[in-house]
């Protein structure tokens, strides 16, 4: 027994000596505040463009060298002398040289480039006059890249579009816009604008956050608010045509509200038309957003003031004990320690004495990933970097906020070569950093996993578009459909983002599977019988579902919520609150042909109650500023005094955090509606984008930078005369194939009739394979929208039923001109009759982009 005791004593002694010896070489890791820095101020000069007597288009500098045709922010109208002047301040970095390039907007082909090394002085500005030597086509848009080179050889890039017009009356249009703006700022002189307004009951006259041409005269003139403009106003020309233009004014104001000075960002968008007799205001919109200010908090109600806004949502994370809150507002990240009543500005480009024009440039955003029990927060900043070491760069940056040390640390830096407006659409919903420091992110329809420790990047899945993936944020799972091809979709993948483990939901033999959506962190999916999958003439695929299932992430099917009814098929769903709305169809057979016709909708009710939100946004009305919003804090918190405001420092890192993605371009073809220069979503179907552009007065581009559609420039009449002189052999056998043959002949594409077989493929596929140009599926747009293509000299194939088609080649005020292959002549049809004809066939239109 004593031997064992002695052995234990000896072992303990040896362990103690060894611990003392080796501990001398174990260095305690202590964070040194000397290894931190604060974000530097913005240094890149802003440039403006002078064309004729007009100064327009304040452009921000980029440190990312992008293709010139990737930005759609501003357009400069040039006269036939093709001359414009670049203006930039002398108070920035010393500029030694200016380079410029003019490129084709579609294809990005170089047209002209040159350099300027000698600048003129104009007050506080330096200027460079540019006269283009290449003869540009009138009314055609070109992409321009301007590069300033500093005395330190740093390159700063600026991007814009140009269009040549002999006369587009730009000065008249700008004078009208500025006169209107100045008039509404002065109520004593604002009566003159009444004749331009179109007030009606559709306008919401209870908020100053959004005012338009239909608002009341009092609302357009700021109600009881007395604003004072804080910044210079340089008009931005978003679109310009011979008679019309869209012009934006972006500026900051301040106003006295209940004894306190508040600041607001204001954007006015004008659409005007010139005529020799008078100017017409076609549309007017004003957006007003409060600048978030912690010092405006309501102590009595324990609330943070959001103020005047159209955005009544706040992205946030709450700690498990409800005493820690991270939230994003006004493109800034805050951390609120409720137990200490301290708010930390975790990340912001805004300085205490702000440079409004550069600090507040809003081409970026912030996304909170997660927060741990100590209040450490992982978050993304993506888009344009306004200032600091990455000033002017386009990037996605992963940061960690270390609460105990009030510092942020950069973990991953992903450079990108596209503007924020595109990036925000190409950055998927999935972004997650797990406890093992594996960073998951979806970009460009690819899911990546990056190990922060080993520095290795792995492709988890590719070809995953925005409609094929669900992020179950509350359960740390992600679900995706393996392929968008409904003819080959056999599996759904379910991944646990913490462990990396994956599971599969598979379709039975003879069936395919579709991912539909989610409700309460449960997956909604359905099965389609392969025999019911149909390819339509416009190239789309109809895949009506026999049944819909709802399952948890561990694949347990919630039978009470699943759906299947004999004789009915589900073509799509919409999830709203606790209800799943099912769009249904029935299968019928007529003349030996099977079709699916629309049937009444049905619903699946979700009985589970959603948890009550810890943070609520509530409206408060006042006589002076009408509707404002406040953010309530977790229940039980009492704000006894104004919160203490803290700031963070940036960690100086020694290792390069750069991660370069294998895929940096969007391969899936998307359609983007541009509204006042910004992208209002990405759509797989052109018709959806065109609808947005029609309603909000914009244009549509695709991801290949091709102009798809513009509102409001269709001529009152147009005829593609060549079709009136065409000869063809009348045939009722297959009018769709005959239309394809005539359109391809018009393009100058010699295609044998044997290649036009639409029984083996769709009409869209035939155009895709043999057209000289890019085909576009326009199913769902109106006839009036389709006439845009005629005005551009492009015929439109229009289905009159599922088996027949005609060619639209012209129109006037009352009629459209049709070529019907079943007859031997062309004919006119009234607008109303033709509209009803095409609507009865589903408004199926095909054309092409040049």
């Amino acid at each position: 027994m004593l031997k064992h005791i002695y052995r234990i004593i000896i072992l303990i002694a040896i362990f103690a000596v060894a611990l003392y010896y080796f501990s001398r070489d174990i260095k305690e890791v202590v964070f040194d505040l000397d290894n931190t820095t604060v974000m530097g101020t913005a240094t890149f000069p802003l440039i403006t463009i002078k064309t004729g007597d007009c100064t327009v288009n304040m452009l921000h500098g980029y440190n990312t060298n992008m293709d010139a045709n990737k930005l759609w922010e501003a357009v400069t109208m040039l006269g036939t002398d093709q001359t414009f002047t670049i203006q930039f301040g002398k108070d920035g970095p010393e500029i030694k040289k200016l380079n410029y390039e003019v490129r084709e907007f579609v294809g990005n082909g170089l047209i002209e480039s040159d350099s300027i090394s000698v600048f003129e002085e104009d007050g506080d500005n330096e200027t460079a006059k540019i006269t283009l030597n290449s003869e540009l086509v009138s009314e055609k848009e070109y992409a321009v890249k301007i590069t300033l080179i500093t005395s330190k050889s740093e390159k700063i890039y600026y991007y814009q579009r140009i269009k040549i017009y002999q006369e587009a009356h730009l000065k008249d249009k700008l004078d009208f816009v500025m006169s209107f703006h100045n008039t509404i700022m002065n109520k004593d002189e604002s009566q003159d604008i009444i004749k331009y307004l179109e007030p009606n009951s559709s306008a919401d006259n209870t908020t100053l956050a959004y005012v338009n041409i239909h608002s009341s005269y009092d609302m357009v003139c700021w109600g009881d608010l007395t604003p004072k403009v804080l910044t210079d106003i340089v008009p931005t020309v978003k679109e310009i045509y011979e008679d019309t233009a869209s012009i934006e004014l972006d500026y900051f104001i301040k106003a006295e509200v209940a004894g306190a000075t508040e600041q607001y960002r204001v954007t006015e968008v004008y659409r005007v038309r010139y005529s020799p007799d008078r100017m017409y205001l076609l549309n007017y919109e004003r957006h007003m957003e409060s600048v978030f200010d912690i010092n405006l908090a309501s102590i009595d109600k324990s609330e943070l003031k959001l103020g005047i806004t159209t955005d009544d949502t706040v992205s946030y994370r709450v700690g498990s004990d409800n005493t820690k809150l991270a939230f994003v507002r006004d493109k800034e990240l805050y951390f609120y320690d409720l137990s200490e009543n301290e708010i930390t500005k975790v990340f912001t480009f805004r300085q205490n004495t702000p440079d409004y024009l550069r600090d507040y440039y809003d081409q970026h955003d912030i996304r909170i990933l997660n927060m741990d029990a100590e209040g450490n927060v992982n978050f993304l900043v993506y888009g344009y970097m306004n200032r600091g070491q990455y000033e002017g760069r386009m990037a996605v940056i992963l940061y960690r906020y270390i609460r105990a040390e009030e510092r942020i640390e950069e973990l991953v830096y992903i450079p990108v070569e596209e503007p924020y407006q595109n990036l925000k659409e190409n950055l998927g919903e999935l972004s997650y950093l797990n406890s093992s420091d594996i960073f998951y992110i979806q970009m460009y329809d690819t899911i990546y996993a990056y190990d922060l420790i080993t520095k290795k990047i792995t492709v988890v899945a590719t070809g995953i578009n925005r409609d094929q993936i669900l992020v179950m944020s509350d359960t740390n799972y992600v679900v995706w459909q393996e392929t968008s091809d409904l003819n080959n979709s056999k599996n759904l993948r379910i991944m646990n983002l913490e462990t990396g483990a994956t599971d599969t939901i598979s379709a039975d033999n003879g069936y395919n599977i579709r991912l539909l959506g989610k409700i309460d962190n449960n997956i909604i999916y359905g099965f389609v019988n392969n025999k019911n999958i149909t390819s339509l003439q416009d190239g789309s695929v109809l895949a009506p579902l026999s049944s819909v299932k709802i399952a948890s992430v561990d694949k347990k099917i919630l039978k009470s919520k699943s759906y299947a009814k004999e004789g009915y098929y589900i073509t799509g769903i919409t999830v709203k609150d606790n209800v799943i709305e099912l769009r249904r169809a029935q299968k019928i057979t007529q003349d030996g042909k099977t079709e699916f016709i629309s049937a009444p909708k049905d619903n699946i009710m979700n009985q589970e109650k959603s948890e009550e939100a810890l943070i609520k946004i509530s409206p408060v009305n006042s006589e002076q500023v009408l509707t404002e919003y406040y953010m309530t804090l977790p229940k039980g918190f009492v704000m006894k005094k104004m919160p203490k405001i803290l700031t963070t420092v940036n960690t100086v890192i020694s290792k390069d955090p750069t991660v370069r993605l294998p895929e940096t371009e969007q391969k899936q073809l998307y359609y983007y509606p541009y509204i006042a220069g910004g992208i209002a979503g990405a759509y797989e179907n052109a018709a959806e984008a065109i609808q947005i552009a029609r309603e909000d007065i914009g244009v549509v581009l695709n991801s290949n930078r091709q102009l798809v559609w513009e509102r409001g420039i269709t001529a009152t009449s147009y005829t593609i005369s060549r079709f009136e002189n065409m000869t063809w052999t009348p045939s009722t056998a297959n009018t769709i194939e005959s239309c394809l043959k005539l359109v391809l002949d018009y393009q100058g594409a010699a295609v044998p009739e044997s290649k036009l077989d639409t029984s083996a493929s769709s009409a869209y596929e035939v155009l895709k394979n043999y057209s000289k140009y890019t085909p576009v599926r326009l199913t769902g747009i109106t006839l009036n929208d389709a006439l845009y293509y005629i005005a551009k000299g492009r015929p439109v194939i229009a289905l009159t039923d599922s088996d027949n088609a005609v060619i639209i080649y012209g129109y006037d005020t009352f009629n459209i001109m049709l070529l019907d292959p079943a007859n031997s002549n062309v004919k006119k049809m009234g607008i109303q009759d033709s509209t009803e004809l095409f609507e009865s066939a589903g408004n199926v239109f095909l054309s092409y982009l040049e």
Side-chain angles (χ1 to χ4, degrees):
M1 182 68 180
L2 288 175
K3 288 183 179 179
H4 291 300
I5 293 174
Y6 289 145
R7 282 178 180 174
I8 292 171
I9 292 172
I10 292 170
L11 288 172
I12 291 173
I14 292 172
F15 175 75
V17 171
L19 183 64
Y20 169 75
Y21 178 81
F22 288 110
S23 66
R24 295 180 303 171
D25 292 328
I26 299 175
K27 295 182 173 61
E28 182 180 3
V29 178
V30 178
F31 179 70
D32 184 359
L33 288 178
D34 290 337
N35 292 329
T36 64
T37 184
V38 295
M39 188 184 296
T41 59
T43 62
F44 286 8
L46 301 170
I47 73 171
T48 55
I49 311 297
K50 188 174 182 181
T51 174
D53 296 328
C54 305
T55 296
V56 295
N57 300 346
M58 181 177 288
L59 305 179
H60 289 256
Y62 287 78
N63 205 355
T64 298
N65 186 5
M66 298 179 285
D67 288 341
N69 65 348
K70 286 190 174 181
L71 276 83
W72 191 268
E73 293 183 0
V75 59
T76 297
M77 187 222 85
L78 306 184
T80 52
D81 62 353
Q82 302 190 160
T83 297
F84 62 101
T85 300
I86 308 296
Q87 305 174 129
F88 54 91
K90 292 188 288 188
D91 54 348
E94 184 182 3
I95 304 301
K96 289 294 189 182
K97 190 177 181 181
L98 181 151
N99 297 336
Y100 68 88
E101 298 176 355
V102 180
R103 293 181 176 270
E104 293 281 358
F105 200 84
V106 177
N108 206 40
L110 181 63
I111 297 172
E112 181 178 329
S113 63
D114 207 343
S115 300
I116 297 174
S117 299
V118 178
F119 306 114
E120 301 291 330
E121 293 194 4
D122 183 7
D124 295 332
N125 291 328
E126 289 187 278
T127 66
K129 188 174 183 179
I130 296 173
T131 299
L132 303 178
N133 296 314
S134 302
E135 186 175 348
L136 304 182
V137 177
S138 179
E139 301 185 30
K140 180 180 177 179
E141 295 198 341
Y142 297 89
V144 175
K145 180 193 296 184
I146 299 160
T147 307
L148 298 185
I149 303 175
T150 71
S151 57
K152 297 180 180 179
S153 298
E154 182 180 27
K155 294 182 178 180
I156 308 171
Y157 304 97
Y158 301 82
Y159 304 89
Q160 67 159 343
R161 296 170 286 140
I162 59 172
K163 288 175 81 172
I164 309 297
Y165 280 98
Q166 183 173 354
E167 180 55 85
H169 310 283
L170 178 61
K171 187 176 187 307
D172 295 286
K173 295 168 184 175
L174 291 173
D175 287 347
F176 174 81
V177 166
M178 293 309 301
S179 174
F180 190 99
H181 163 80
N182 292 329
T183 298
I184 63 175
M185 288 290 183
N186 187 347
K187 292 179 183 176
D188 295 333
E189 301 176 1
S190 59
Q191 294 290 327
D192 290 342
I193 72 159
I194 292 178
K195 62 184 177 184
Y196 298 108
L197 302 180
E198 302 171 8
N200 62 37
S201 58
S202 68
D204 181 2
N205 288 314
T206 66
T207 175
L208 288 167
Y210 176 69
V211 171
N212 63 29
I213 196 171
H214 302 301
S215 300
S216 69
Y217 162 75
D218 186 57
M219 293 294 289
V220 172
C221 295
W222 302 93
D224 291 334
L225 208 64
T226 306
K228 289 183 170 45
V229 177
L230 296 172
T231 52
D232 293 336
I233 300 177
V234 177
T236 300
V237 182
K238 296 295 185 178
E239 305 295 339
I240 183 77
Y241 304 101
E242 186 174 4
D243 58 343
T244 63
S246 292
I247 297 167
E248 180 181 283
L249 308 181
D250 192 17
Y251 55 95
F252 287 82
I253 63 171
K254 66 178 181 179
E256 294 297 317
V257 178
T261 301
E262 299 194 25
Q263 296 183 356
Y264 307 88
R265 181 173 199 151
V266 181
T267 302
E268 295 181 72
V269 181
Y270 297 78
R271 185 170 177 82
V272 298
R273 186 172 74 225
Y274 169 86
S275 78
D277 301 326
R278 58 165 287 186
M279 293 294 300
Y280 292 88
L281 182 63
L282 303 179
N283 194 47
Y284 172 75
E285 294 181 84
R286 186 175 72 221
H287 298 266
M288 179 178 179
E289 291 286 326
S290 292
V291 174
F292 181 68
D293 187 348
I294 297 166
N295 293 310
L296 297 174
S298 171
I299 299 174
D300 294 340
K301 296 182 179 180
S302 299
E303 295 176 336
L304 297 176
K305 184 175 183 178
L306 304 182
I308 296 173
T309 180
T310 55
D311 182 9
D312 58 353
T313 61
V314 172
S315 172
Y316 68 90
R317 293 288 188 278
V318 177
S320 56
D321 60 358
N322 289 351
T323 65
K324 301 176 183 67
L325 168 67
F327 66 95
V328 176
R329 190 64 189 174
D330 210 6
K331 299 183 184 287
E332 299 173 309
L333 175 61
Y334 295 87
F335 176 84
Y336 198 166
D337 187 335
L338 300 171
S339 61
E340 299 293 330
N341 197 27
E342 295 178 344
I343 293 184
T344 301
K345 290 183 178 181
V346 177
F347 190 96
T348 177
F349 287 124
R350 194 199 322 177
Q351 302 171 86
N352 290 333
T353 304
D355 177 346
Y356 288 98
L357 299 178
R358 290 184 287 191
D359 291 1
Y360 284 86
Y361 188 48
D362 62 354
Q363 297 300 293
H364 70 278
D365 213 340
I366 297 175
R367 181 185 295 181
I368 303 172
L369 273 59
N370 44 37
M371 178 170 65
D372 65 19
E374 285 73 41
N376 302 316
V377 181
N378 297 314
F379 64 98
L380 285 185
V381 180
Y382 58 96
Y384 179 91
M385 303 298 149
N386 299 30
R387 59 188 182 94
Q389 70 176 114
Y390 293 131
E391 181 182 0
R393 294 191 188 181
M394 292 300 307
V396 178
I397 307 177
L398 173 64
Y399 286 103
R400 177 173 290 153
Y401 164 60
I402 294 90
R403 166 69 178 125
E405 297 163 351
E406 293 295 359
R407 65 182 177 92
I408 61 174
E409 182 176 334
E410 183 184 343
L411 303 178
V412 173
Y413 172 83
I414 303 174
V416 296
E417 295 182 359
E418 64 180 1
Y420 168 72
Q421 292 296 324
N422 293 85
L423 175 61
K424 69 184 177 68
E425 303 300 333
N426 293 328
L427 177 63
E429 186 183 350
L430 174 60
S431 50
Y432 186 87
L433 181 63
N434 70 17
S435 56
S436 300
D437 277 347
I438 306 295
F439 176 47
Y440 292 95
I441 189 168
Q442 182 199 10
M443 291 182 68
Y444 308 112
D445 294 340
T446 302
I447 300 174
Y448 297 98
Y450 177 69
D451 190 321
L452 271 65
I453 298 172
T454 65
K455 309 300 181 186
K456 290 184 179 179
I457 189 166
T458 304
V459 174
V460 177
T462 59
I464 310 300
N465 67 34
R466 63 188 62 246
D467 296 325
Q468 296 169 231
I469 185 169
L470 298 174
V471 179
M472 324 294 277
S473 54
D474 293 341
T475 57
N476 303 328
Y477 278 82
V478 62
V479 184
W480 68 89
Q481 185 177 303
E482 279 190 335
T483 176
S484 60
D485 182 359
L486 297 178
N487 287 294
N488 294 292
S489 178
K490 298 295 182 183
N491 300 305
L492 302 183
R493 298 293 185 191
I494 306 171
M495 172 179 272
N496 183 322
L497 294 170
E498 275 298 323
T499 66
T502 60
D503 205 345
T504 304
I505 299 176
S506 299
D508 293 335
N509 287 336
Y511 284 83
N512 285 351
I513 193 169
R514 284 177 59 189
L515 184 62
L516 299 173
K518 64 180 179 179
I519 188 168
D520 288 336
N521 285 305
N522 294 312
I523 311 163
I524 309 171
Y525 59 95
F527 295 106
V528 54
N529 189 319
N530 291 348
K531 295 178 181 178
N532 290 331
I533 298 176
T534 306
S535 294
L536 305 179
Q537 288 293 352
D538 67 353
S540 61
V541 176
L542 178 64
L545 304 168
S546 306
S547 63
V548 168
K549 306 292 184 184
I550 302 176
S552 59
V553 291
D554 57 2
K555 302 198 304 184
K556 292 180 181 178
I557 295 177
L558 309 179
K559 293 186 178 179
S560 62
K561 298 179 183 178
S562 297
Y563 185 93
K565 281 191 179 180
E566 185 70 28
Y568 288 93
Y569 299 84
I570 296 91
T571 57
I573 71 165
T574 301
V575 179
K576 187 175 182 181
D577 298 327
N578 282 337
V579 178
I580 304 171
E581 183 182 82
L582 305 170
R583 297 187 293 279
R584 302 190 304 168
Q586 288 181 291
K587 183 161 63 172
I588 62 170
T589 302
Q590 286 183 332
D591 301 325
K593 186 174 181 179
T594 300
E595 294 182 355
F596 290 89
I597 63 171
S598 179
K601 297 176 181 178
D602 206 348
N603 298 310
I604 301 175
M605 302 295 294
N606 181 31
Q607 302 300 324
E608 295 181 17
K609 292 184 178 180
S610 302
E611 293 185 9
E612 186 177 353
L614 293 169
I615 303 299
K616 295 182 179 179
I617 310 299
S618 304
V620 175
N621 297 317
S622 69
E623 186 173 340
Q624 182 186 8
V625 291
L626 304 177
T627 305
E628 296 181 297
Y629 286 87
Y630 284 80
M631 184 172 81
T632 62
L633 298 168
K635 190 178 294 185
F637 170 71
V638 177
M639 188 186 296
K640 296 180 180 178
K641 60 180 181 178
M642 195 63 68
K644 182 180 179 181
I645 302 174
L646 306 174
T647 57
T648 58
V649 291
N650 291 11
T651 308
V652 177
I653 54 176
S654 57
K655 294 183 179 179
D656 184 6
T658 302
V659 176
R660 300 192 182 277
L661 300 182
E663 192 65 60
T664 58
E665 292 286 342
Q666 181 59 262
K667 290 185 177 180
Q668 172 74 30
L669 185 64
Y670 286 111
Y671 297 90
Y672 305 113
Y674 279 77
I675 310 300
I679 293 179
Y683 300 89
E684 291 186 56
N685 295 317
E688 294 179 80
I690 290 172
Q691 181 180 351
I692 298 294
R694 183 202 319 122
E695 292 174 353
D696 295 330
I697 310 178
V699 302
V700 177
L701 273 72
N702 65 16
S703 44
N704 293 331
R705 315 308 297 161
Q706 292 173 294
L707 184 59
V708 177
W709 190 85
E710 301 167 274
R711 172 172 164 169
I713 67 162
T714 305
T716 55
S717 63
Y718 193 91
T719 301
I720 306 174
S721 58
R722 185 174 161 190
F723 279 93
E724 295 190 328
N725 301 318
M726 273 189 173
T727 58
W728 69 93
T729 303
S731 172
T732 58
N734 194 318
T735 57
I736 295 176
E737 291 178 8
S738 298
C739 286
L740 290 170
K741 174 66 173 172
L742 290 167
V743 168
L744 292 171
D745 286 347
Y746 172 73
Q747 294 180 0
V751 182
E753 291 187 12
S754 59
K755 301 291 186 181
L756 306 178
D757 183 9
T758 56
S759 63
S761 64
S762 67
Y764 176 83
E765 287 297 323
V766 171
L767 287 176
K768 188 175 179 180
N769 291 332
Y770 300 110
S771 173
K772 285 188 173 183
Y773 306 104
T774 306
V776 59
R777 178 191 306 119
L778 299 167
T779 301
I781 70 172
T782 65
L783 172 61
N784 190 57
D785 291 340
L787 296 182
Y788 166 82
Y789 287 84
I790 311 301
K792 291 294 183 180
R794 302 171 212 155
V796 173
I797 298 174
L799 266 62
T800 55
D801 57 40
S802 58
D803 296 318
N804 292 285
V806 296
I807 294 175
I808 307 173
Y809 70 89
Y811 65 90
D812 58 28
T813 306
F814 304 106
N815 304 285
I816 63 169
M817 287 67 172
L818 298 176
L819 187 157
D820 185 351
N823 301 307
S824 59
N825 59 348
V826 296
K827 65 178 180 179
K828 288 185 178 182
M829 180 179 281
I831 292 289
Q832 184 63 38
D833 291 340
S834 54
T835 297
E836 292 174 0
L837 172 65
F838 299 134
E839 283 180 352
S840 67
N843 275 343
V844 181
F845 302 109
L846 290 171
S847 191
Y848 54 90
L849 310 174
E850 295 180 345

